[in-house]
Amino acid sequence: MKEFDTKHRADTLWRDWESNKNYRYAIAEGGLRYPVKEIIRLAIGDPNASFPGGKKQGAANEAVRSLEFKVITLAEMNPKWTRDELILALDLYLKHPSKLPGADSTEVKELSALLNRMGEQLHPQRYDRYRNRNSVHMKLMNFRARDPNHPKSKGLGHGGQLEEEIWAEYGSN
């Protein structure tokens, strides 16, 4: 941690790392926060080391906790999609059954903006990190995996139970 403070904290790469949404966890020590995986890389002397993060056993956070360091959450995951959000996403999907709009398309940008306006009301503390274009496009791909008119290999099958219910209720209508 001393090395991080003296050699890296002021670098452009690390200057605002705590507000970078790619970092969800930090070591809290001496009134400062440290990026968990980077501290482990520095400690083992391998800048290219790769290992899982998160809360699973054997992951970086658990390894650091086992050494009695405090790991805190910087950014929470977005809440699960609501029924209304999924219906809006399915509506967009069904308007483009043969070729889905990409994450940079006007349609996806507009739905993302609408969902973010909804998010301001549903989750005011986090609407700035709410439904971005990539997450909207991913939901379209989740619906593609449920569409019997398209092979599952062309979609993302890791959607949830609520997506299945929405598809069953509205997928053919």
Side-chain angles (χ1 to χ4, degrees), residues 3-148:
E3 180 180 345
F4 182 81
D5 287 335
T6 59
K7 295 181 180 178
H8 305 289
R9 190 175 290 279
D11 290 351
T12 305
L13 176 66
W14 295 108
R15 191 171 300 135
D16 296 320
W17 74 273
E18 292 175 66
S19 60
N20 182 331
K21 295 171 187 108
N22 291 324
Y23 298 93
R24 290 192 55 219
Y25 302 99
I27 299 170
E29 179 70 23
L32 296 172
R33 294 176 178 174
Y34 298 87
V36 177
K37 291 181 183 180
E38 185 61 18
I39 294 304
I40 294 174
R41 285 184 191 101
L42 291 171
I44 64 174
D46 184 355
N48 299 314
S50 178
F51 29 79
K55 297 180 180 179
K56 296 176 183 166
Q57 186 174 3
N61 291 344
E62 290 308 309
V64 169
R65 281 189 184 105
S66 73
L67 297 171
E68 299 185 6
F69 287 100
K70 181 179 180 182
V71 177
I72 61 169
T73 302
L74 292 174
E76 296 293 328
M77 295 287 286
N78 278 327
K80 291 184 178 185
W81 284 59
T82 66
R83 179 177 174 78
D84 290 338
E85 290 175 317
L86 289 172
I87 290 170
L88 290 169
L90 179 59
D91 180 60
L92 177 58
Y93 175 84
L94 293 173
K95 288 178 181 174
H96 303 278
S98 59
K99 185 175 183 205
L100 293 180
D104 291 325
S105 70
T106 301
E107 297 94 336
V108 168
K109 288 177 185 177
E110 288 173 354
L111 180 54
S112 173
L114 172 62
L115 295 175
N116 276 285
R117 287 192 303 275
M118 290 171 60
E120 289 178 28
Q121 302 301 312
L122 296 169
H123 310 283
Q125 72 280 12
R126 64 174 21 194
Y127 75 90
D128 63 317
R129 299 190 309 265
Y130 203 55
R131 309 291 185 227
N132 63 34
R133 295 179 318 215
N134 290 329
S135 68
V136 170
H137 186 260
M138 189 170 77
K139 280 298 161 206
L140 299 179
M141 294 301 290
N142 289 143
F143 283 125
R144 171 61 50 98
R146 286 169 169 66
D147 189 339

